[in-house]
Amino acid sequence: MPGSRFLRRSEVHANSPVFTVSELNLILLGPPGAGKGTQAERLQEDFDLVYIATGDILRKAVAEGTELGQKAKEYMDNGDLVPDEVIIGVILEGVESEAAQDGFLLDGFPRSVGQAEALEEDIGRLERRLTAVLCIEAPDEEIIRRLSGRRTCVKSGHVYNIHTDPPKHDEVCDQDGSRLVQRDDDREATVRKRLDVYHRQTSPLVEFYEERGLLRRFDGTRSPTEVHDHIRATIATLRLEDEL
Ligand SMILES: [Zn+2]
């Protein structure tokens, strides 16, 4: 009924946080260096989402000694990789937690179509669904320029970028005068390798979510604020569509 719909929406506006109508279940995709971390922080603040990053949540489950956390710990203690099914289980514990009832933001998961299918099935069982998959893109050459421009101070880990945020004096930290170095992770050859892995893992996922009409692309060469504005506008549109 159009009347009740209008009433509902005006109530939403009157109560100001505009974005608390329905749950917001998001996945964040993007290569290293495209600004995913910054956007994740802002989205958590904007929408009060539970942020589920694979590495963090695995460590947390281990620390809290949940059933799956204990399982994961066994593998980690033996120096083995934690198998897919355990990782999926830990992620799903997070998704099903009380705190994530209004929404979640997944980062670093899923990494494969198999994981994506497991996620879809599991949240489907809970009568929930993904709202969108936010993919922040940037050309490889731009990523390589950004990451290989990073310099880190050996003493306290202060980070500079010779292109965008250079130190006052070459190779010296502004804050404590110690030497700046390029971390191994930021060397061009390493960055290229990380990007190869990323593309290999991600292109099937991009296709998977595109087929489901969930994928939204964002231009990671824009400023973080521009990307953030674009994401917010996209989410606002999705939510209005959702209400209709
Ligand atoms: Zn320093």
Side-chain angles (χ1 to χ4, degrees):
M1 240 191 290
S4 66
R5 197 189 304 144
F6 176 76
L7 190 72
R8 201 146 57 92
R9 225 186 279 170
S10 60
E11 276 170 5
V12 168
H13 285 291
N15 293 335
S16 192
V18 179
F19 297 115
T20 53
V21 194
S22 58
E23 61 184 82
L24 201 53
N25 302 323
L26 302 171
I27 291 175
L28 205 49
L29 287 180
K36 228 164 29 121
T38 310
Q39 298 305 326
E41 265 171 42
R42 295 190 183 187
L43 287 171
Q44 285 172 75
E45 279 170 31
D46 290 346
F47 302 111
D48 197 23
L49 299 172
V50 169
Y51 177 58
I52 304 175
T54 313
D56 296 348
I57 198 162
L58 212 52
R59 274 188 294 275
K60 198 170 155 240
V62 170
E64 288 174 355
T66 68
E67 200 186 318
L68 286 160
Q70 289 176 14
K71 235 185 246 177
K73 189 175 182 300
E74 279 174 35
Y75 290 99
M76 290 153 96
D77 286 348
N78 289 327
D80 293 328
L81 279 178
V82 181
D84 228 24
E85 69 205 53
V86 177
I87 294 182
I88 293 172
V90 173
I91 296 287
L92 293 177
E93 271 182 351
V95 166
E96 291 176 23
S97 69
E98 192 58 38
Q101 291 313 298
D102 290 335
F104 55 79
L105 176 62
L106 285 176
D107 185 0
F109 182 93
R111 282 243 159 93
S112 64
V113 170
Q115 291 185 347
E117 284 167 343
L119 176 69
E120 187 177 63
E121 211 179 291
D122 193 86
I123 65 173
R125 255 197 299 113
L126 302 168
E127 295 186 348
R128 296 172 70 173
R129 58 183 181 83
L130 289 174
T131 315
V133 176
L134 314 174
C135 185
I136 305 173
E137 301 176 309
D140 284 4
E141 293 314 311
E142 171 65 15
I143 301 283
I144 289 162
R145 197 184 74 92
R146 284 184 190 178
L147 293 184
S148 65
R150 286 217 289 224
R151 296 294 180 273
T152 307
C153 116
V154 287
K155 192 177 166 212
S156 319
H158 300 121
V159 179
Y160 299 83
N161 192 301
I162 55 173
H163 307 299
T164 54
D165 180 24
K168 288 197 195 79
H169 306 285
D170 263 4
E171 313 294 315
V172 178
C173 178
D174 289 349
Q175 296 189 55
D176 52 31
S178 59
R179 200 160 49 91
L180 297 180
V181 295
Q182 186 180 42
R183 293 186 322 153
D184 286 343
D185 250 14
D186 296 333
R187 293 187 193 283
E188 182 173 332
T190 316
V191 175
R192 285 193 189 278
K193 225 180 276 172
R194 287 165 69 197
L195 281 171
D196 280 348
V197 172
Y198 170 77
H199 289 306
R200 232 178 305 131
Q201 283 182 335
T202 312
S203 24
L205 275 179
V206 165
E207 213 172 287
F208 179 87
Y209 286 124
E210 210 154 32
E211 277 169 14
R212 282 158 174 73
L214 290 170
L215 196 81
R216 298 292 181 277
R217 296 173 190 270
F218 301 92
D219 182 357
T221 65
R222 300 295 186 93
S223 75
T225 300
E226 282 174 303
V227 176
H228 179 229
D229 288 345
H230 187 190
I231 292 178
R232 282 184 63 108
T234 302
I235 290 174
T237 309
L238 285 169
R239 295 199 129 173
L240 285 179
E241 285 169 2
D242 219 36
E243 278 183 74
L244 298 177

